[in-house]
Amino acid sequence: MAQSPFEYAPAPESREIARLRPSYQIFVAGKFRDGRGEAVKTINPADESPLAEIAEAGPADVSDAVTAARRAFKSWSRLPGRERGKYLFRIARAIQERSRELAVLESLDNGKPIRESRDVDIPLAAAHFFYYAGWADKLQYAGFGPAPRPIGVAGQIIPWNFPLLMAAWKIAPALACGNTVVLKPAETTPLTALVLAEIIAEADLPPGVVNVLAGGPAIGHAIVESEGIDKIAFTGSTEVGKIIQRSVAASGKRVTLELGGKAANIVFDDAPIDQAVEGIVNGIFFNQGQVCCAGSRLLVQESVADEVVAALQRRLATLRVGDPLDKNTDVGAINSAAQLARIRELADAGVDEGATRWSPPCDLPDRGYWFAPTVFTDVAPAHRIAREEIFGPVLSVLTFRTPDEAVEKANNTPYGLSAGVWTEKGSRILSLAGRLRAGVVWGNTFNRFDPASPFGGYKESGFGREGGRHGLAAYLESEGFLGD
Ligand code: NAD
C-alpha cells in the first residue's frame, strides 16, 4: 500500500503452524465432544474462507458443563493453593511452548496482525497465568481477610477482539482463587479458547474445573440464567452487559462487567509530538481499533492541533494494511461483516454530520473485511463519532484550550474505561489522573497492559477489576476488601 520510503517484501508466517483441524469440539467435564447445538464454520475475516467447523454447544451442554463444574468445585476449592498454583504454572508454560501456533491461529480467526498476536496477545495470556499462579498460595495476604473463600462456579462470557487473552484474564484468577469455570468464547473466534482447553486437558486439570462451550448469544444467555452458576464475569458490549445485569438482578449471583469505552487521548502543547503521534497510532489502530480502551477521541491542545494532525497523517501514510499473517503488517482485517457494517455506518454518519474525513492512500484487499485507517477532524462533541463507540480504526479529533476544558471534554461521555495524557509535566499527569473519570489513565503511553495492573471501568464501561491483586476480589467471598 501507501507511500512508504521502504519497499517491504512479503514476510508471511506459514499458516501450517496453526495446525488447523477440519473440526473442533467443545470441552465438558474433561472431555472433548460435539456440542448439541449447530455445526457452524468459523471463517478467516481476511479472505472470508472457512477455517474449521465447530460443533457448538446447545442448552443441554450448558447444564452438563455447569453440573461438571459444581461437582469439580467441591475438591478444587479444597485443594491447597500451592497445588492449584502448580496447574496454573503448567498452563502458562504450555501457552509459551505453543505460542507460535496460538499466534497464527489467533490471527487467522480474528484478523489481527501476527505482530500483535505474537508480541502482545499470546505472551500476555501466558503472563496472566504466571501472575495468578503466584497468588494461588498467598490469598490470605491479599487484603481480603485471613481466610478468603472462592465463590463457586463462574460463568465467563468473552468477546472476539482478544480471544485467548480474554480467556486468560477470566480463567486464571478464577482458578487461582479456587473457583471452577464455564467459559464461552465469542461465536466468531472460538479456536484459541478450544486449543486452550486442550492445553488445560494436557495439564491434567481435574475434569470439570474448566469447561469451554463454543456458541452464540443463546448459549451466553443460558449460562447467565443457569441456577448452578454463582458468578457471571462478562466482557463485551454495554448493551449486552445491561441485559445481563437485569437478568441476574435478585438472583443472588455475583457479577462483574467489562464493557465498552470511548477513551480520550489528551495531547498537551508541551508533549513530545513524535512520541505522542506514536501513542495516538497505537491508541486507535492497534487491533484495528477493536479495543474497548482504544484512544478513539484525540483531544489535542489548540495551539499544536495542526502540527499534530499533520504529523499523524504523515505517519499514517506509512502504515501497512493487509495480510494479517505478514510480519510487516500494521493493520489487519476487521473481525466480521457485522462489525465492518457498524464501522461504515458510523463513519458515514461522521461525514453526514459535517466532520472532515481523511484516510491515507491504501489498496485494500478485494476479499475479506477491510477498513482503511481513518481520521476525522472538525468533530463536534455532539457528533455520533465523538460519542458512540465505533470499535474500528477511526479516530475523532477534538481540540481544547485549557486543562479544565480537556478534563471536561474527556469526561463528557457515558463511558469511563481509559484515558491517556501526553505532556512533559509529571505533575500535570498526576493531577489529570485524579480528575479523569476513567479506570485506567496512561501517562505518555497508551494501551499498555500488565497482569499486575488492574483494569476496568466506571459508568457504562462496567464495574469490577481484572488483573492485579484487585482482580482477585471478583472471585472471592470475603469480609470486604481491606486495602486498596
Ligand atoms: P457482545 O456484547 O455482542 O458479545 C460479547 C459476548 O457476549 C459474546 O461471547 C456473545 O456471544 C455474548 N452474548 C451476546 N448476547 C448475549 C446475551 N444476551 N447473553 C449472554 N451473552 C451474550 O460484544 P462483542 O461485539 O463481541 O464485543 C465488542 C464489545 O466488547 C465492545 O463494546 C467492547 O468495548 C467490549 N469489550 C470490552 C472490554 C473490557 O474489558 N471492558 C474488552 C473487550 C471488549
Side-chain angles (χ1 to χ4, degrees), residues 11-14 17 99-108 111-123 288 322-330 332:
E13 188 64 287
S14 163
I17 298 164
S99 59
R100 236 179 125 196
E101 171 194 347
L102 286 164
V104 176
L105 194 61
E106 197 77 301
S107 283
L108 283 171
K112 63 176 69 205
I114 187 74
R115 194 165 58 85
E116 292 178 7
S117 47
R118 182 195 62 199
D119 298 347
V120 182
D121 294 59
I122 312 301
Q288 294 69 246
D323 180 7
L325 287 193
D326 191 322
K327 291 172 209 148
N328 294 321
T329 293
D330 298 304

PDB file of all heavy atoms in Angstrom, residues 11-14 17 99-108 111-123 288 322-330 332:
ATOM      1  N   ALA A  11       6.479 -11.067   4.082  1.00  0.00           N
ATOM      2  CA  ALA A  11       7.147 -11.970   5.040  1.00  0.00           C
ATOM      3  C   ALA A  11       6.078 -12.746   5.790  1.00  0.00           C
ATOM      4  O   ALA A  11       5.910 -12.582   7.002  1.00  0.00           O
ATOM      5  CB  ALA A  11       8.008 -11.155   5.998  1.00  0.00           C
ATOM      6  N   PRO A  12       5.320 -13.562   5.053  1.00  0.00           N
ATOM      7  CA  PRO A  12       4.192 -14.215   5.726  1.00  0.00           C
ATOM      8  C   PRO A  12       4.619 -15.351   6.645  1.00  0.00           C
ATOM      9  O   PRO A  12       5.538 -16.094   6.323  1.00  0.00           O
ATOM     10  CB  PRO A  12       3.360 -14.763   4.558  1.00  0.00           C
ATOM     11  CG  PRO A  12       4.308 -14.897   3.430  1.00  0.00           C
ATOM     12  CD  PRO A  12       5.421 -13.918   3.644  1.00  0.00           C
ATOM     13  N   GLU A  13       3.963 -15.420   7.781  1.00  0.00           N
ATOM     14  CA  GLU A  13       4.114 -16.563   8.680  1.00  0.00           C
ATOM     15  C   GLU A  13       3.316 -17.703   8.049  1.00  0.00           C
ATOM     16  O   GLU A  13       2.253 -17.460   7.453  1.00  0.00           O
ATOM     17  CB  GLU A  13       3.533 -16.165  10.044  1.00  0.00           C
ATOM     18  CG  GLU A  13       3.736 -17.127  11.183  1.00  0.00           C
ATOM     19  CD  GLU A  13       5.188 -17.345  11.590  1.00  0.00           C
ATOM     20  OE1 GLU A  13       5.893 -18.017  10.820  1.00  0.00           O
ATOM     21  OE2 GLU A  13       5.595 -16.879  12.666  1.00  0.00           O
ATOM     22  N   SER A  14       3.806 -18.922   8.142  1.00  0.00           N
ATOM     23  CA  SER A  14       3.104 -20.038   7.497  1.00  0.00           C
ATOM     24  C   SER A  14       1.841 -20.416   8.266  1.00  0.00           C
ATOM     25  O   SER A  14       1.875 -20.557   9.491  1.00  0.00           O
ATOM     26  CB  SER A  14       4.023 -21.251   7.437  1.00  0.00           C
ATOM     27  OG  SER A  14       3.262 -22.401   7.199  1.00  0.00           O
ATOM     28  N   ILE A  17       1.590 -23.543  10.702  1.00  0.00           N
ATOM     29  CA  ILE A  17       1.969 -23.512  12.124  1.00  0.00           C
ATOM     30  C   ILE A  17       0.742 -23.587  13.030  1.00  0.00           C
ATOM     31  O   ILE A  17       0.810 -24.053  14.162  1.00  0.00           O
ATOM     32  CB  ILE A  17       2.774 -22.216  12.410  1.00  0.00           C
ATOM     33  CG1 ILE A  17       4.058 -22.229  11.590  1.00  0.00           C
ATOM     34  CG2 ILE A  17       3.090 -22.045  13.880  1.00  0.00           C
ATOM     35  CD1 ILE A  17       4.720 -20.872  11.495  1.00  0.00           C
ATOM     36  N   SER A  99       3.220 -21.042  21.680  1.00  0.00           N
ATOM     37  CA  SER A  99       2.865 -19.646  21.410  1.00  0.00           C
ATOM     38  C   SER A  99       2.799 -19.332  19.909  1.00  0.00           C
ATOM     39  O   SER A  99       1.930 -18.581  19.469  1.00  0.00           O
ATOM     40  CB  SER A  99       3.828 -18.689  22.112  1.00  0.00           C
ATOM     41  OG  SER A  99       5.131 -18.919  21.674  1.00  0.00           O
ATOM     42  N   ARG A 100       3.690 -19.930  19.133  1.00  0.00           N
ATOM     43  CA  ARG A 100       3.674 -19.623  17.699  1.00  0.00           C
ATOM     44  C   ARG A 100       2.399 -20.152  17.067  1.00  0.00           C
ATOM     45  O   ARG A 100       1.743 -19.480  16.273  1.00  0.00           O
ATOM     46  CB  ARG A 100       4.891 -20.263  17.038  1.00  0.00           C
ATOM     47  CG  ARG A 100       5.721 -19.234  16.300  1.00  0.00           C
ATOM     48  CD  ARG A 100       6.919 -19.817  15.665  1.00  0.00           C
ATOM     49  NE  ARG A 100       6.937 -19.510  14.244  1.00  0.00           N
ATOM     50  CZ  ARG A 100       7.706 -20.138  13.375  1.00  0.00           C
ATOM     51  NH1 ARG A 100       8.471 -21.143  13.771  1.00  0.00           N
ATOM     52  NH2 ARG A 100       7.689 -19.804  12.112  1.00  0.00           N
ATOM     53  N   GLU A 101       2.057 -21.377  17.433  1.00  0.00           N
ATOM     54  CA  GLU A 101       0.828 -21.986  16.918  1.00  0.00           C
ATOM     55  C   GLU A 101      -0.399 -21.135  17.315  1.00  0.00           C
ATOM     56  O   GLU A 101      -1.251 -20.817  16.484  1.00  0.00           O
ATOM     57  CB  GLU A 101       0.710 -23.392  17.520  1.00  0.00           C
ATOM     58  CG  GLU A 101      -0.607 -24.077  17.257  1.00  0.00           C
ATOM     59  CD  GLU A 101      -0.796 -25.309  18.169  1.00  0.00           C
ATOM     60  OE1 GLU A 101       0.180 -25.761  18.803  1.00  0.00           O
ATOM     61  OE2 GLU A 101      -1.930 -25.803  18.227  1.00  0.00           O
ATOM     62  N   LEU A 102      -0.434 -20.738  18.577  1.00  0.00           N
ATOM     63  CA  LEU A 102      -1.578 -19.950  19.053  1.00  0.00           C
ATOM     64  C   LEU A 102      -1.641 -18.586  18.363  1.00  0.00           C
ATOM     65  O   LEU A 102      -2.725 -18.096  18.033  1.00  0.00           O
ATOM     66  CB  LEU A 102      -1.497 -19.772  20.571  1.00  0.00           C
ATOM     67  CG  LEU A 102      -1.836 -21.025  21.387  1.00  0.00           C
ATOM     68  CD1 LEU A 102      -1.352 -20.870  22.825  1.00  0.00           C
ATOM     69  CD2 LEU A 102      -3.342 -21.302  21.361  1.00  0.00           C
ATOM     70  N   ALA A 103      -0.465 -17.991  18.119  1.00  0.00           N
ATOM     71  CA  ALA A 103      -0.446 -16.665  17.486  1.00  0.00           C
ATOM     72  C   ALA A 103      -0.993 -16.744  16.062  1.00  0.00           C
ATOM     73  O   ALA A 103      -1.811 -15.912  15.649  1.00  0.00           O
ATOM     74  CB  ALA A 103       0.969 -16.093  17.489  1.00  0.00           C
ATOM     75  N   VAL A 104      -0.565 -17.750  15.314  1.00  0.00           N
ATOM     76  CA  VAL A 104      -1.041 -17.866  13.930  1.00  0.00           C
ATOM     77  C   VAL A 104      -2.537 -18.181  13.923  1.00  0.00           C
ATOM     78  O   VAL A 104      -3.315 -17.605  13.155  1.00  0.00           O
ATOM     79  CB  VAL A 104      -0.225 -18.931  13.154  1.00  0.00           C
ATOM     80  CG1 VAL A 104      -0.782 -19.115  11.753  1.00  0.00           C
ATOM     81  CG2 VAL A 104       1.242 -18.523  13.091  1.00  0.00           C
ATOM     82  N   LEU A 105      -2.945 -19.069  14.826  1.00  0.00           N
ATOM     83  CA  LEU A 105      -4.372 -19.422  14.898  1.00  0.00           C
ATOM     84  C   LEU A 105      -5.221 -18.189  15.232  1.00  0.00           C
ATOM     85  O   LEU A 105      -6.277 -17.960  14.635  1.00  0.00           O
ATOM     86  CB  LEU A 105      -4.544 -20.502  15.969  1.00  0.00           C
ATOM     87  CG  LEU A 105      -5.860 -21.259  15.993  1.00  0.00           C
ATOM     88  CD1 LEU A 105      -6.081 -21.998  14.684  1.00  0.00           C
ATOM     89  CD2 LEU A 105      -5.891 -22.245  17.163  1.00  0.00           C
ATOM     90  N   GLU A 106      -4.733 -17.384  16.170  1.00  0.00           N
ATOM     91  CA  GLU A 106      -5.474 -16.174  16.571  1.00  0.00           C
ATOM     92  C   GLU A 106      -5.590 -15.199  15.397  1.00  0.00           C
ATOM     93  O   GLU A 106      -6.654 -14.628  15.152  1.00  0.00           O
ATOM     94  CB  GLU A 106      -4.762 -15.507  17.750  1.00  0.00           C
ATOM     95  CG  GLU A 106      -5.597 -14.508  18.509  1.00  0.00           C
ATOM     96  CD  GLU A 106      -6.606 -15.188  19.431  1.00  0.00           C
ATOM     97  OE1 GLU A 106      -7.441 -15.953  18.924  1.00  0.00           O
ATOM     98  OE2 GLU A 106      -6.559 -14.942  20.641  1.00  0.00           O
ATOM     99  N   SER A 107      -4.483 -15.028  14.667  1.00  0.00           N
ATOM    100  CA  SER A 107      -4.523 -14.096  13.535  1.00  0.00           C
ATOM    101  C   SER A 107      -5.448 -14.608  12.439  1.00  0.00           C
ATOM    102  O   SER A 107      -6.138 -13.827  11.787  1.00  0.00           O
ATOM    103  CB  SER A 107      -3.116 -13.856  12.974  1.00  0.00           C
ATOM    104  OG  SER A 107      -2.425 -12.979  13.834  1.00  0.00           O
ATOM    105  N   LEU A 108      -5.466 -15.925  12.229  1.00  0.00           N
ATOM    106  CA  LEU A 108      -6.359 -16.480  11.204  1.00  0.00           C
ATOM    107  C   LEU A 108      -7.823 -16.271  11.579  1.00  0.00           C
ATOM    108  O   LEU A 108      -8.657 -15.908  10.749  1.00  0.00           O
ATOM    109  CB  LEU A 108      -6.106 -17.987  11.043  1.00  0.00           C
ATOM    110  CG  LEU A 108      -4.859 -18.399  10.263  1.00  0.00           C
ATOM    111  CD1 LEU A 108      -4.644 -19.900  10.398  1.00  0.00           C
ATOM    112  CD2 LEU A 108      -5.003 -18.021   8.786  1.00  0.00           C
ATOM    113  N   GLY A 111      -8.214 -11.972  12.515  1.00  0.00           N
ATOM    114  CA  GLY A 111      -7.846 -10.957  11.525  1.00  0.00           C
ATOM    115  C   GLY A 111      -6.779  -9.998  12.003  1.00  0.00           C
ATOM    116  O   GLY A 111      -6.351  -9.108  11.268  1.00  0.00           O
ATOM    117  N   LYS A 112      -6.300 -10.165  13.247  1.00  0.00           N
ATOM    118  CA  LYS A 112      -5.313  -9.210  13.776  1.00  0.00           C
ATOM    119  C   LYS A 112      -3.918  -9.531  13.226  1.00  0.00           C
ATOM    120  O   LYS A 112      -3.609 -10.691  12.932  1.00  0.00           O
ATOM    121  CB  LYS A 112      -5.308  -9.194  15.297  1.00  0.00           C
ATOM    122  CG  LYS A 112      -4.910 -10.486  15.946  1.00  0.00           C
ATOM    123  CD  LYS A 112      -4.842 -10.321  17.461  1.00  0.00           C
ATOM    124  CE  LYS A 112      -6.192 -10.116  18.111  1.00  0.00           C
ATOM    125  NZ  LYS A 112      -6.175  -9.419  19.353  1.00  0.00           N
ATOM    126  N   PRO A 113      -3.056  -8.527  13.095  1.00  0.00           N
ATOM    127  CA  PRO A 113      -1.715  -8.764  12.571  1.00  0.00           C
ATOM    128  C   PRO A 113      -0.942  -9.747  13.450  1.00  0.00           C
ATOM    129  O   PRO A 113      -1.033  -9.687  14.681  1.00  0.00           O
ATOM    130  CB  PRO A 113      -1.043  -7.387  12.616  1.00  0.00           C
ATOM    131  CG  PRO A 113      -2.144  -6.410  12.763  1.00  0.00           C
ATOM    132  CD  PRO A 113      -3.280  -7.111  13.423  1.00  0.00           C
ATOM    133  N   ILE A 114      -0.152 -10.586  12.802  1.00  0.00           N
ATOM    134  CA  ILE A 114       0.644 -11.579  13.533  1.00  0.00           C
ATOM    135  C   ILE A 114       1.605 -10.892  14.503  1.00  0.00           C
ATOM    136  O   ILE A 114       1.881 -11.395  15.588  1.00  0.00           O
ATOM    137  CB  ILE A 114       1.418 -12.497  12.545  1.00  0.00           C
ATOM    138  CG1 ILE A 114       2.122 -13.634  13.289  1.00  0.00           C
ATOM    139  CG2 ILE A 114       2.408 -11.733  11.685  1.00  0.00           C
ATOM    140  CD1 ILE A 114       1.230 -14.709  13.771  1.00  0.00           C
ATOM    141  N   ARG A 115       2.072  -9.713  14.138  1.00  0.00           N
ATOM    142  CA  ARG A 115       2.970  -8.956  15.028  1.00  0.00           C
ATOM    143  C   ARG A 115       2.304  -8.752  16.398  1.00  0.00           C
ATOM    144  O   ARG A 115       2.949  -8.820  17.433  1.00  0.00           O
ATOM    145  CB  ARG A 115       3.256  -7.606  14.365  1.00  0.00           C
ATOM    146  CG  ARG A 115       4.391  -6.812  14.924  1.00  0.00           C
ATOM    147  CD  ARG A 115       4.791  -5.707  13.953  1.00  0.00           C
ATOM    148  NE  ARG A 115       3.714  -4.794  13.618  1.00  0.00           N
ATOM    149  CZ  ARG A 115       3.365  -3.717  14.332  1.00  0.00           C
ATOM    150  NH1 ARG A 115       4.001  -3.422  15.435  1.00  0.00           N
ATOM    151  NH2 ARG A 115       2.387  -2.935  13.942  1.00  0.00           N
ATOM    152  N   GLU A 116       0.989  -8.479  16.379  1.00  0.00           N
ATOM    153  CA  GLU A 116       0.288  -8.241  17.642  1.00  0.00           C
ATOM    154  C   GLU A 116      -0.030  -9.549  18.370  1.00  0.00           C
ATOM    155  O   GLU A 116       0.175  -9.650  19.578  1.00  0.00           O
ATOM    156  CB  GLU A 116      -0.998  -7.441  17.393  1.00  0.00           C
ATOM    157  CG  GLU A 116      -0.707  -6.021  16.952  1.00  0.00           C
ATOM    158  CD  GLU A 116      -1.971  -5.217  16.655  1.00  0.00           C
ATOM    159  OE1 GLU A 116      -3.086  -5.718  16.920  1.00  0.00           O
ATOM    160  OE2 GLU A 116      -1.841  -4.102  16.129  1.00  0.00           O
ATOM    161  N   SER A 117      -0.539 -10.550  17.626  1.00  0.00           N
ATOM    162  CA  SER A 117      -0.869 -11.796  18.337  1.00  0.00           C
ATOM    163  C   SER A 117       0.412 -12.427  18.898  1.00  0.00           C
ATOM    164  O   SER A 117       0.422 -12.935  20.011  1.00  0.00           O
ATOM    165  CB  SER A 117      -1.631 -12.771  17.442  1.00  0.00           C
ATOM    166  OG  SER A 117      -1.016 -12.886  16.201  1.00  0.00           O
ATOM    167  N   ARG A 118       1.511 -12.330  18.142  1.00  0.00           N
ATOM    168  CA  ARG A 118       2.782 -12.927  18.574  1.00  0.00           C
ATOM    169  C   ARG A 118       3.407 -12.144  19.735  1.00  0.00           C
ATOM    170  O   ARG A 118       3.944 -12.737  20.676  1.00  0.00           O
ATOM    171  CB  ARG A 118       3.745 -12.909  17.371  1.00  0.00           C
ATOM    172  CG  ARG A 118       5.106 -13.521  17.613  1.00  0.00           C
ATOM    173  CD  ARG A 118       6.074 -13.111  16.511  1.00  0.00           C
ATOM    174  NE  ARG A 118       6.271 -11.672  16.478  1.00  0.00           N
ATOM    175  CZ  ARG A 118       6.753 -10.976  15.441  1.00  0.00           C
ATOM    176  NH1 ARG A 118       7.073 -11.605  14.326  1.00  0.00           N
ATOM    177  NH2 ARG A 118       6.897  -9.668  15.506  1.00  0.00           N
ATOM    178  N   ASP A 119       3.338 -10.799  19.689  1.00  0.00           N
ATOM    179  CA  ASP A 119       4.067 -10.000  20.678  1.00  0.00           C
ATOM    180  C   ASP A 119       3.200  -9.508  21.833  1.00  0.00           C
ATOM    181  O   ASP A 119       3.731  -9.038  22.842  1.00  0.00           O
ATOM    182  CB  ASP A 119       4.706  -8.769  20.008  1.00  0.00           C
ATOM    183  CG  ASP A 119       5.732  -9.156  18.958  1.00  0.00           C
ATOM    184  OD1 ASP A 119       6.124 -10.339  18.921  1.00  0.00           O
ATOM    185  OD2 ASP A 119       6.132  -8.285  18.160  1.00  0.00           O
ATOM    186  N   VAL A 120       1.889  -9.528  21.665  1.00  0.00           N
ATOM    187  CA  VAL A 120       1.031  -8.982  22.718  1.00  0.00           C
ATOM    188  C   VAL A 120       0.069 -10.049  23.251  1.00  0.00           C
ATOM    189  O   VAL A 120       0.164 -10.460  24.414  1.00  0.00           O
ATOM    190  CB  VAL A 120       0.224  -7.757  22.211  1.00  0.00           C
ATOM    191  CG1 VAL A 120      -0.628  -7.180  23.345  1.00  0.00           C
ATOM    192  CG2 VAL A 120       1.157  -6.689  21.644  1.00  0.00           C
ATOM    193  N   ASP A 121      -0.854 -10.511  22.414  1.00  0.00           N
ATOM    194  CA  ASP A 121      -1.932 -11.379  22.917  1.00  0.00           C
ATOM    195  C   ASP A 121      -1.414 -12.626  23.640  1.00  0.00           C
ATOM    196  O   ASP A 121      -1.804 -12.904  24.779  1.00  0.00           O
ATOM    197  CB  ASP A 121      -2.830 -11.863  21.766  1.00  0.00           C
ATOM    198  CG  ASP A 121      -3.605 -10.730  21.116  1.00  0.00           C
ATOM    199  OD1 ASP A 121      -2.975  -9.789  20.623  1.00  0.00           O
ATOM    200  OD2 ASP A 121      -4.849 -10.815  21.098  1.00  0.00           O
ATOM    201  N   ILE A 122      -0.538 -13.368  22.943  1.00  0.00           N
ATOM    202  CA  ILE A 122      -0.161 -14.677  23.497  1.00  0.00           C
ATOM    203  C   ILE A 122       0.796 -14.521  24.696  1.00  0.00           C
ATOM    204  O   ILE A 122       0.569 -15.144  25.740  1.00  0.00           O
ATOM    205  CB  ILE A 122       0.439 -15.603  22.403  1.00  0.00           C
ATOM    206  CG1 ILE A 122      -0.439 -15.603  21.137  1.00  0.00           C
ATOM    207  CG2 ILE A 122       0.682 -17.016  22.942  1.00  0.00           C
ATOM    208  CD1 ILE A 122      -1.876 -16.040  21.296  1.00  0.00           C
ATOM    209  N   PRO A 123       1.839 -13.664  24.590  1.00  0.00           N
ATOM    210  CA  PRO A 123       2.694 -13.504  25.775  1.00  0.00           C
ATOM    211  C   PRO A 123       1.925 -12.985  26.991  1.00  0.00           C
ATOM    212  O   PRO A 123       2.164 -13.423  28.119  1.00  0.00           O
ATOM    213  CB  PRO A 123       3.744 -12.468  25.335  1.00  0.00           C
ATOM    214  CG  PRO A 123       3.705 -12.464  23.850  1.00  0.00           C
ATOM    215  CD  PRO A 123       2.354 -12.926  23.432  1.00  0.00           C
ATOM    216  N   GLN A 288      -6.823  -2.891  14.926  1.00  0.00           N
ATOM    217  CA  GLN A 288      -7.812  -2.236  14.053  1.00  0.00           C
ATOM    218  C   GLN A 288      -8.795  -1.374  14.855  1.00  0.00           C
ATOM    219  O   GLN A 288      -9.939  -1.169  14.441  1.00  0.00           O
ATOM    220  CB  GLN A 288      -8.601  -3.250  13.222  1.00  0.00           C
ATOM    221  CG  GLN A 288      -7.789  -4.015  12.207  1.00  0.00           C
ATOM    222  CD  GLN A 288      -6.833  -4.976  12.864  1.00  0.00           C
ATOM    223  OE1 GLN A 288      -5.635  -4.792  12.765  1.00  0.00           O
ATOM    224  NE2 GLN A 288      -7.350  -5.975  13.551  1.00  0.00           N
ATOM    225  N   GLY A 322      -3.019  -4.950   5.506  1.00  0.00           N
ATOM    226  CA  GLY A 322      -3.115  -6.121   4.633  1.00  0.00           C
ATOM    227  C   GLY A 322      -2.992  -7.430   5.386  1.00  0.00           C
ATOM    228  O   GLY A 322      -3.341  -7.491   6.576  1.00  0.00           O
ATOM    229  N   ASP A 323      -2.473  -8.430   4.696  1.00  0.00           N
ATOM    230  CA  ASP A 323      -2.431  -9.813   5.186  1.00  0.00           C
ATOM    231  C   ASP A 323      -2.034  -9.900   6.665  1.00  0.00           C
ATOM    232  O   ASP A 323      -0.889  -9.601   7.024  1.00  0.00           O
ATOM    233  CB  ASP A 323      -1.421 -10.599   4.327  1.00  0.00           C
ATOM    234  CG  ASP A 323      -1.317 -12.058   4.761  1.00  0.00           C
ATOM    235  OD1 ASP A 323      -2.119 -12.488   5.620  1.00  0.00           O
ATOM    236  OD2 ASP A 323      -0.437 -12.767   4.223  1.00  0.00           O
ATOM    237  N   PRO A 324      -2.940 -10.343   7.521  1.00  0.00           N
ATOM    238  CA  PRO A 324      -2.614 -10.425   8.954  1.00  0.00           C
ATOM    239  C   PRO A 324      -1.432 -11.339   9.247  1.00  0.00           C
ATOM    240  O   PRO A 324      -0.730 -11.141  10.245  1.00  0.00           O
ATOM    241  CB  PRO A 324      -3.889 -10.997   9.579  1.00  0.00           C
ATOM    242  CG  PRO A 324      -4.977 -10.639   8.625  1.00  0.00           C
ATOM    243  CD  PRO A 324      -4.356 -10.670   7.257  1.00  0.00           C
ATOM    244  N   LEU A 325      -1.178 -12.309   8.380  1.00  0.00           N
ATOM    245  CA  LEU A 325      -0.069 -13.228   8.655  1.00  0.00           C
ATOM    246  C   LEU A 325       1.287 -12.681   8.202  1.00  0.00           C
ATOM    247  O   LEU A 325       2.317 -13.273   8.478  1.00  0.00           O
ATOM    248  CB  LEU A 325      -0.316 -14.589   7.995  1.00  0.00           C
ATOM    249  CG  LEU A 325      -1.384 -15.477   8.636  1.00  0.00           C
ATOM    250  CD1 LEU A 325      -1.291 -16.884   8.094  1.00  0.00           C
ATOM    251  CD2 LEU A 325      -1.270 -15.503  10.152  1.00  0.00           C
ATOM    252  N   ASP A 326       1.277 -11.545   7.508  1.00  0.00           N
ATOM    253  CA  ASP A 326       2.547 -10.944   7.088  1.00  0.00           C
ATOM    254  C   ASP A 326       3.171 -10.210   8.283  1.00  0.00           C
ATOM    255  O   ASP A 326       2.517  -9.364   8.913  1.00  0.00           O
ATOM    256  CB  ASP A 326       2.302  -9.963   5.926  1.00  0.00           C
ATOM    257  CG  ASP A 326       3.611  -9.525   5.291  1.00  0.00           C
ATOM    258  OD1 ASP A 326       4.601  -9.320   6.024  1.00  0.00           O
ATOM    259  OD2 ASP A 326       3.639  -9.378   4.054  1.00  0.00           O
ATOM    260  N   LYS A 327       4.442 -10.527   8.553  1.00  0.00           N
ATOM    261  CA  LYS A 327       5.077  -9.942   9.750  1.00  0.00           C
ATOM    262  C   LYS A 327       5.277  -8.432   9.620  1.00  0.00           C
ATOM    263  O   LYS A 327       5.561  -7.746  10.604  1.00  0.00           O
ATOM    264  CB  LYS A 327       6.417 -10.630  10.015  1.00  0.00           C
ATOM    265  CG  LYS A 327       6.237 -12.061  10.467  1.00  0.00           C
ATOM    266  CD  LYS A 327       7.569 -12.781  10.539  1.00  0.00           C
ATOM    267  CE  LYS A 327       7.373 -14.255  10.277  1.00  0.00           C
ATOM    268  NZ  LYS A 327       8.508 -14.876   9.609  1.00  0.00           N
ATOM    269  N   ASN A 328       5.145  -7.891   8.413  1.00  0.00           N
ATOM    270  CA  ASN A 328       5.280  -6.439   8.227  1.00  0.00           C
ATOM    271  C   ASN A 328       3.962  -5.695   8.421  1.00  0.00           C
ATOM    272  O   ASN A 328       3.946  -4.464   8.421  1.00  0.00           O
ATOM    273  CB  ASN A 328       5.752  -6.128   6.806  1.00  0.00           C
ATOM    274  CG  ASN A 328       7.146  -6.633   6.547  1.00  0.00           C
ATOM    275  OD1 ASN A 328       7.997  -6.549   7.418  1.00  0.00           O
ATOM    276  ND2 ASN A 328       7.367  -7.168   5.359  1.00  0.00           N
ATOM    277  N   THR A 329       2.869  -6.420   8.537  1.00  0.00           N
ATOM    278  CA  THR A 329       1.554  -5.759   8.567  1.00  0.00           C
ATOM    279  C   THR A 329       1.325  -5.015   9.883  1.00  0.00           C
ATOM    280  O   THR A 329       1.579  -5.547  10.962  1.00  0.00           O
ATOM    281  CB  THR A 329       0.445  -6.812   8.335  1.00  0.00           C
ATOM    282  OG1 THR A 329       0.578  -7.287   7.000  1.00  0.00           O
ATOM    283  CG2 THR A 329      -0.941  -6.226   8.531  1.00  0.00           C
ATOM    284  N   ASP A 330       0.829  -3.786   9.756  1.00  0.00           N
ATOM    285  CA  ASP A 330       0.483  -2.989  10.941  1.00  0.00           C
ATOM    286  C   ASP A 330      -1.002  -3.066  11.248  1.00  0.00           C
ATOM    287  O   ASP A 330      -1.418  -3.009  12.399  1.00  0.00           O
ATOM    288  CB  ASP A 330       0.831  -1.508  10.708  1.00  0.00           C
ATOM    289  CG  ASP A 330       2.306  -1.299  10.492  1.00  0.00           C
ATOM    290  OD1 ASP A 330       3.089  -1.712  11.360  1.00  0.00           O
ATOM    291  OD2 ASP A 330       2.676  -0.732   9.436  1.00  0.00           O
ATOM    292  N   GLY A 332      -4.612  -5.082  10.300  1.00  0.00           N
ATOM    293  CA  GLY A 332      -5.173  -6.277   9.680  1.00  0.00           C
ATOM    294  C   GLY A 332      -6.624  -6.099   9.300  1.00  0.00           C
ATOM    295  O   GLY A 332      -7.077  -4.992   8.981  1.00  0.00           O
TER     296      GLY A 332
END
